[in-house]
Structure formats: C-alpha cells, structure tokens
Amino acid sequence: MIGSTADDEGEVVPGNVSEYGFVNGEDELVSFAELPVQWDKGEIPDEKQKQIFLLGTTDRGFRRIFKQVKAWKFDLSGEDPVVLVLSKENNWIKLLKPRKAFEDTIRTILITVQYLHFVKWNPETSRETMRDHLSVVFRFGYKSYGIISLPLLLPQL
C-alpha cells in the first residue's frame, strides 16, 4: 500500500520520496538493487541482510526522511514504470527523482527497468526506437553514455 499513513510511533509514513539516495551502515552510497527484490506479494524479505537506509525528501521537499529499507520492487503496469522500496515498518515508498549525486549509482538499474517497461508495452519495437526512447527519458546520447550500460539487452548497437 502506498500513501501517507502513521506508523507505530505516530510518524507520518511517506507515500513517495524525491531527491533520494541510499546509504549502508558505514554511511557509503549504495544502490537499492543491493536489497532483495520482492517478486511476489506474499514474499517476506530476509531480515538478516545488511542495513540500508533511504534518505530523501517528501511533501514537495518540506520534510526530510531517513528510513531503513529491506526490499524493493518495480511495477511495469502503468504509463510509466514505478520503483518502490519497503521500509522496515512494511510500508511501500515510491521513488521519484534521485539526488543528482546518486544518479550514477543507480543509472543501470533505472535504465533496465525503463527498458523492461517499454518492451512490455511495445514488444515489436526496433533497437533504434528503444535507443531513442531511452535517450529521451535519460537525456543522453547513445554514443556518448548510457546505452553501453545495456550490452546484454541491446547487443550490437
């Protein structure tokens, strides 16, 4: 469930977070992809994994948050792909725009989720159309940067 609700301590749980990043217990930037992916709704993530914390802003930047997270998932069913993380309190938090300094840390996973979403809705697409779509979404030229991040998904570009 996504939305602002109250957790056990009366704290408001954000439905989404922008200007986000993730840090481990040593305060180093890490990708949310280090967390387990929740493939099924009933699946319960392992509580014994390393500690990873989400930091960012909510309420249009007016409130800062710092939450321990334990899993992530993505949803390809809507107009745009959605990435969510599961807080330690079992609330799903939608990830919006990452911090600029964090973009390189998660670029490959975001490109991959965007790729899967596009192919799901456009199964007959060409490599050129996919390249153009990703270039628009991530604002880069395929020769200069990111498409190289998908060597297995887009061979021989």
Side-chain angles (χ1 to χ4, degrees):
M1 175 180 204
I2 303 172
S4 293
T5 59
D7 68 9
D8 293 343
E9 300 167 2
E11 179 182 345
V12 174
V13 178
N16 57 58
V17 174
S18 60
E19 297 300 318
Y20 66 86
F22 293 86
V23 293
N24 61 17
E26 289 78 45
D27 211 23
E28 302 166 327
L29 283 179
V30 294
S31 173
F32 59 81
E34 291 189 26
L35 295 165
V37 177
Q38 186 181 42
W39 297 107
D40 298 315
K41 284 185 180 183
E43 189 177 358
I44 299 170
D46 180 14
E47 297 283 338
K48 296 178 184 170
Q49 71 220 9
K50 55 183 146 180
Q51 291 187 336
I52 296 181
F53 300 89
L54 166 67
L55 48 104
T57 61
T58 188
D59 293 338
R60 293 185 214 118
F62 292 112
R63 188 180 346 192
R64 301 185 77 136
I65 67 155
F66 185 81
K67 289 257 181 215
Q68 186 173 354
V69 292
K70 59 184 183 177
W72 73 284
K73 69 179 179 178
F74 57 92
D75 181 3
L76 306 176
S77 64
E79 185 175 326
D80 292 311
V82 175
V83 177
L84 304 109
V85 292
L86 183 62
S87 73
K88 187 177 178 181
E89 300 82 22
N90 291 319
N91 296 304
W92 286 104
I93 303 169
K94 180 179 175 181
L95 301 178
L96 300 176
K97 184 177 180 354
R99 288 184 175 167
K100 200 74 160 153
F102 187 64
E103 287 177 348
D104 285 344
T105 305
I106 60 168
R107 181 176 297 278
T108 300
I109 193 68
L110 293 180
I111 290 171
T112 303
V113 170
Q114 185 66 233
Y115 172 88
L116 292 171
H117 180 264
F118 191 81
V119 169
K120 176 181 179 174
W121 294 101
N122 304 283
E124 302 297 321
T125 195
S126 68
R127 286 189 188 131
E128 293 77 20
T129 303
M130 173 55 68
R131 179 194 65 214
D132 294 345
H133 171 72
L134 292 175
S135 293
V136 167
V137 170
F138 293 100
R139 296 177 182 92
F140 53 72
Y142 70 95
K143 292 181 182 174
S144 65
Y145 192 68
I147 302 297
I148 296 166
S149 299
L150 294 175
L152 298 174
L153 298 176
L154 297 174
Q156 305 163 348
L157 275 181

